[in-house]
Amino acid sequence: MSKRILIIDDDERLCAMLDQYLSRGGYAVTCRHTAAAGLDEQRRSSPDAIILDLMLPDASGLDVCIRLRETSNVPIIMLTARGEATDRVVGLELGADDYLPKPFDPRELLARLRTILRRGAGAVNPTLRFGRLEIDREARDVRIDGDSRSLTGFQFDILVALAERAGRVVSRNQLLDAVAGRPAGAFDRTIDVHISNIRAAIEDDPRQPKRIVTMRGAGYLFTRIQDDGASI
């Protein structure tokens, strides 16, 4: 069955172009041109991913992102004509999985869409265990002491990429290459936002992280922690 993509953007020409392009890529595309219509469609059809414009006629895309995250972990790619780093960081902090400034090459959007829709598969044991922390790559679920923790799709991919390299320092560029298949470029700092949100979900004290440690000037280190809190 084709993955269902919901585009929420008031630019009807862009929507028509993306509808045609993504449909050729095997996706079932629905377009809505206002925040209200987009939220209604999301509730009605539960799409597999959402492409969301930052500037909508009846609300900010950031407000839509907040509303979506109240009830859903659906992957979200934000589109905007505004490319300032502040906009990227705010969007990611509010739960967007990726960010693409206009104008963009539709091939890049397709590549990013495929990335956030990717599901963990093929491992002999789909679950990674580190003391109280369990990461189920097949179900895309993160649990602490059996309780699920909420992460966006992109944040889950980052956590898996780090956990699969436990005990090794991973640079920002290497991390983005691993989860998105593209060089970090101008997006290297936004990885810090995702790491902060992951820490808030899995660390006992996000201000003094023990599982995901920042190695200044080098990247991040996922440590193996025993049940008594000792690192190994």
Side-chain angles (χ1 to χ4, degrees):
M1 181 181 296
S2 298
K3 295 289 187 181
R4 295 164 296 168
I5 310 302
L6 171 60
I7 301 175
I8 308 175
D9 194 310
D10 63 338
D11 186 335
E12 295 188 20
R13 291 181 60 186
L14 175 64
C15 287
M17 181 272 289
L18 291 178
D19 186 351
Q20 184 179 37
Y21 188 84
L22 295 177
S23 295
R24 289 202 304 266
Y27 297 102
V29 179
T30 300
C31 297
R32 294 293 181 265
H33 306 303
T34 67
L39 288 168
D40 285 344
E41 181 64 29
Q42 188 275 332
R43 287 190 291 267
R44 187 189 69 80
S45 64
S46 298
D48 296 293
I50 294 177
I51 299 170
L52 173 64
D53 188 27
L54 182 62
M55 305 296 290
L56 295 166
D58 56 337
S60 165
L62 297 177
D63 292 332
V64 176
C65 189
I66 292 171
R67 292 280 302 278
L68 290 168
R69 283 291 170 255
E70 289 174 353
T71 58
S72 174
N73 285 327
V74 59
I76 299 171
I77 298 177
M78 295 201 74
L79 304 178
T80 180
R82 294 155 54 186
E84 292 86 350
T86 300
D87 294 326
R88 294 198 297 272
V89 170
V90 171
L92 293 171
E93 285 181 333
L94 293 178
D97 294 272
D98 206 346
Y99 190 105
L100 191 59
K102 298 177 181 178
F104 56 85
D105 187 327
R107 291 173 297 181
E108 182 176 5
L109 175 63
L110 179 59
R112 296 190 185 198
L113 183 61
R114 285 172 173 164
T115 294
I116 67 171
L117 287 170
R118 186 175 56 209
R119 294 295 184 262
V124 175
N125 184 351
T127 302
L128 299 169
R129 292 183 173 84
F130 302 91
R132 297 160 51 220
L133 172 66
E134 295 182 354
I135 305 169
D136 188 333
R137 290 173 288 192
E138 189 171 89
R140 294 182 68 82
D141 187 29
V142 178
R143 298 180 292 271
I144 301 287
D145 294 331
D147 295 327
S148 292
R149 302 299 172 94
S150 179
L151 293 176
T152 68
F154 193 56
Q155 290 161 12
F156 181 86
D157 289 339
I158 290 172
L159 178 59
V160 169
L162 286 168
E164 289 177 341
R165 296 162 176 79
R168 289 183 282 164
V169 177
V170 183
S171 72
R172 290 182 179 86
N173 278 29
Q174 290 172 330
L175 192 53
L176 278 174
D177 284 346
V179 301
R182 64 181 187 276
F187 294 89
D188 61 346
R189 300 304 302 180
T190 62
I191 202 74
D192 297 336
V193 177
H194 286 301
I195 292 292
S196 177
N197 290 333
I198 294 169
R199 284 170 171 161
I202 69 170
E203 297 276 7
D204 292 331
D205 183 357
R207 294 170 299 180
Q208 296 182 326
K210 293 183 178 180
R211 294 188 184 277
I212 302 177
V213 179
T214 299
M215 308 300 289
R216 190 174 299 276
Y220 298 99
L221 173 68
F222 186 97
T223 62
R224 299 176 181 273
I225 300 178
Q226 300 177 5
D227 290 332
D228 61 3
S231 298
I232 59 174

